[in-house]
Amino acid sequence: MTASDVRDVHDPGRLDEVVAKVAVGTAADVDHAVRAGHAAFPGWRDTPATERVRLLLAAAEVVAGSGEELAPQLVREHGGVLWEAQTDFGLGTGVLQHTASLVEEFLRPVQFDDEQSFISVEKVPRGVAAAIVPWNMPVVLTMMKLAPALATGNTVVLKPSPFAPAALTLLLQRVAELLPPGVLNVVHGEGDVGAALCTHPLVRKVGFTGGTATAQKVVEATAPTITNVTLELGGNDPAIVLDDADIDATLDRMLKGVYTRTGQICFAVKRIYVPRAMYTRFTDAFCERVDQYAVGHGLDPEASFGPLNNEAQYKKVLDLLDRTRNSSATLVELGRKLDPSSWDNGYYVLPHVVRNVEHTAPVSCEEQFGPVIPLIAYDTEDQVLTWANDSDYGLGSSVWTSDPDRGLAFARRVEAGSTFINTHSFESLDLRMPFGGIKQSGIGREFGEAGLSAYAEEHSIRRLK
Ligand code: NAD
């Protein structure tokens, strides 16, 4: 395949270092890749499911075995710390294995045979699936599309983010070598390449993870061909602390969901609601812990978290901090710089806490995608439930309480794709739970059976006797 243009990828923690050179694809490259996927489709569709399962498990081994070598490269593209990049490989491995364990049962036809007729409801692949992924957790977000698509017999054209393309591509080359030619294809590029994938008439499915504004373009681009889409988008996850929560136990777990990946996780904790009577105690304890954090390059073992990923994200977070600083809220900067001399050579931001802030403030309503968190005081349960649900987003959410029944009752009233009780971080995820959002956080679900359904059509066959 040809590449007319090549782009440098810079380390977001050492901006003067180029860590990869990546081809910038064109609409012609997209067409070439989609046609390769289309040509490979009949053979892959007709490959027995047991054989596809075997190959998926082999792919899982490749992902698991590549983490140690490729995670440092990923750190130097997306800016995370090493354990976060390793977690990405670990979660990706788990998704492949879990999907492989479900697919044969999932594909079994549902049949009815009576005096009048024989009915068979069969699940068939759609064809060429386009997968478009962001930079923050590229391995698992890719596997959440690749695993169900390949397992059910689709072929795939994947577009990585230009901000984290290299480690993922090196990994996918290894996976593609296991598969027949044309089953897995990768095209690099920016929005125009994503758009060309969405509008291609031979693409029968788009699995997209990214921002809501980009997803609106995906919906427009797929409208003329009525192409099926799954959209996993942004969030503004509320964490609701109830008045019986144990502060220390809550902070032990909650903080993992706030600053991990420098806050750049779709279902990170993005606003925290605390009962007014415990507000000062809670925020003091919160700030005391956050002040222990050290920020530096992702390969520095002392770094609690790394830089932001890219200039646009960096400017967005700085702008939000400026607006907050100039408001009635109290912005507190905490933590320390690991290497002050290189601070300006990366998109580094210290952890920030916003105290005495309103539910309607920009930092409470917008997806910050950075290391800044508003702590909002509330007076009654009804008030905090209204505030939690008062958002265009609805991805994750959490309730913190010492009473499991109270937690469950409250969780049921939250408008979100997922509500966690006494947890809200990577450790909250369970592959048996469908993952996705409501409202502007997305359409459809990934993981498990729901994820497989996204890549299969139901074909109903009836013979009249
Ligand atoms: P983004 O929307 O800018 O980009 C996502 C992908 O879409 C990239 O590969 C990009 O090149 C591509 N793209 C850009 N324009 C396109 C177009 N017109 N048509 C098709 N594709 C196009 O998002 P990002 O900055 O890479 O990631 C951050 C966002 O992703 C945040 O909002 C975050 O919450 C969200 N996210 C959601 C989930 C989830 O599972 N819900 C997971 C991770 C990130």
Side-chain angles (χ1 to χ4, degrees):
M1 185 171 295
T2 56
S4 47
D5 201 2
V6 170
R7 179 185 190 272
D8 289 342
V9 181
H10 291 263
D11 183 333
R14 294 173 193 149
L15 290 174
D16 52 356
E17 290 186 18
V18 173
V19 294
K21 286 186 181 290
V22 64
V24 181
T26 61
D29 296 321
V30 168
D31 185 57
H32 190 88
V34 172
R35 287 186 189 282
H38 187 66
F41 173 61
W44 185 244
R45 176 195 59 201
D46 297 339
T47 300
T50 45
E51 174 63 3
R52 294 201 300 259
V53 165
R54 188 186 71 76
L55 291 169
L56 234 56
L57 292 173
E61 272 182 40
V62 164
V63 177
S66 300
E68 196 176 333
E69 180 196 340
L70 295 180
Q73 169 65 31
L74 182 54
V75 163
R76 300 189 72 211
E77 295 173 62
H78 75 1
V81 294
L82 198 54
W83 76 261
E84 293 169 345
Q86 284 161 343
T87 299
D88 198 7
F89 282 83
L91 290 171
T93 304
V95 168
L96 284 161
Q97 289 168 335
H98 187 65
T99 309
S101 75
L102 296 179
V103 68
E104 287 179 272
E105 178 62 30
F106 172 81
L107 289 175
R108 195 156 293 141
V110 177
Q111 296 182 332
F112 308 90
D113 199 356
D114 57 29
E115 282 168 11
Q116 280 133 30
S117 62
F118 167 79
I119 291 173
S120 185
V121 180
E122 314 201 339
K123 304 218 181 64
V124 296
R126 296 177 188 276
V128 180
I132 302 176
V133 295
W135 44 264
N136 60 342
M137 294 289 287
V139 177
V140 64
L141 295 172
T142 290
M143 297 310 155
M144 284 157 76
K145 293 153 190 58
L146 205 59
L150 295 182
T152 48
N154 303 269
T155 56
V156 173
V157 180
L158 183 121
K159 194 195 90 59
S161 165
F163 295 111
L168 180 63
T169 303
L170 292 168
L171 178 68
L172 292 179
Q173 270 173 349
R174 295 173 189 181
V175 172
E177 276 166 20
L178 301 168
L179 304 168
V183 169
L184 170 58
N185 310 275
V186 175
V187 185
H188 289 282
E190 319 263 339
D192 57 329
V193 166
L197 266 174
C198 293
T199 51
H200 200 292
L202 292 177
V203 167
R204 297 284 149 74
K205 167 80 194 181
V206 175
F208 172 86
T209 298
T212 299
T214 315
Q216 285 162 347
K217 294 183 191 161
V218 169
V219 170
E220 266 181 51
T222 49
T225 42
I226 319 284
T227 304
N228 186 288
V229 292
T230 299
L231 304 173
E232 296 287 2
L233 313 178
N236 189 19
D237 287 18
I240 302 135
V241 181
L242 299 185
D243 58 12
D244 61 354
D246 178 285
I247 293 180
D248 277 335
T250 296
L251 292 179
D252 284 346
R253 289 193 186 160
M254 185 190 279
L255 280 165
K256 294 179 195 164
V258 180
Y259 294 100
T260 298
R261 276 306 276 113
T262 321
Q264 301 167 116
I265 295 177
C266 53
F267 73 106
V269 175
K270 296 194 176 133
R271 47 192 171 124
I272 301 172
Y273 295 96
V274 185
R276 198 172 300 279
M278 65 197 276
Y279 186 79
T280 304
R281 271 187 301 134
F282 188 93
T283 48
D284 283 351
F286 193 96
C287 289
E288 199 176 302
R289 293 205 188 199
V290 176
D291 206 26
Q292 307 303 311
Y293 290 175
V295 182
H297 193 274
L299 293 178
D300 186 330
E302 275 190 66
S304 312
F305 60 80
L308 292 164
N309 171 263
N310 60 68
E311 190 180 7
Q313 191 56 36
Y314 181 61
K315 285 186 171 160
K316 186 184 139 194
V317 171
L318 292 190
D319 173 65
L320 191 58
L321 289 175
D322 270 348
R323 283 188 284 152
T324 306
R325 205 173 280 117
N326 294 324
S327 74
S328 59
T330 312
L331 180 67
V332 190
E333 184 180 84
L334 298 159
R336 71 189 163 94
K337 303 173 181 177
L338 273 176
D339 182 3
S341 64
S342 65
W343 193 254
D344 294 333
N345 190 28
Y347 300 125
Y348 294 106
V349 177
L350 284 170
H352 286 72
V353 174
V354 190
R355 302 179 72 147
N356 308 317
V357 58
E358 301 291 325
H359 156 72
T360 49
V363 72
S364 312
C365 302
E366 295 173 19
E367 187 189 34
Q368 63 273 56
F369 231 51
V372 47
I373 186 81
L375 276 76
I376 304 151
Y378 72 85
D379 293 300
T380 66
E381 259 191 43
D382 282 346
Q383 180 186 50
V384 75
L385 185 71
T386 304
W387 284 353
N389 292 339
D390 175 28
S391 173
D392 289 336
Y393 292 111
L395 189 60
S397 53
S398 57
V399 186
W400 302 79
T401 173
S402 306
D403 179 344
D405 293 336
R406 193 177 170 202
L408 186 58
F410 196 96
R412 290 192 165 125
R413 298 163 71 200
V414 178
E415 294 174 3
S418 304
T419 302
F420 311 114
I421 302 171
N422 295 339
T423 174
H424 196 152
S425 67
F426 285 140
E427 67 189 21
S428 317
L429 298 178
D430 187 309
L431 296 175
R432 293 170 296 184
M433 290 171 66
F435 181 81
I438 63 168
K439 299 194 259 183
Q440 291 182 28
S441 287
I443 297 178
R445 295 290 180 270
E446 294 187 315
F447 290 170
E449 262 207 36
L452 286 164
S453 294
Y455 290 86
E457 296 278 12
E458 281 184 325
H459 185 196
S460 300
I461 299 169
R462 181 173 184 230
R463 175 168 58 85
L464 212 55
K465 290 185 180 169

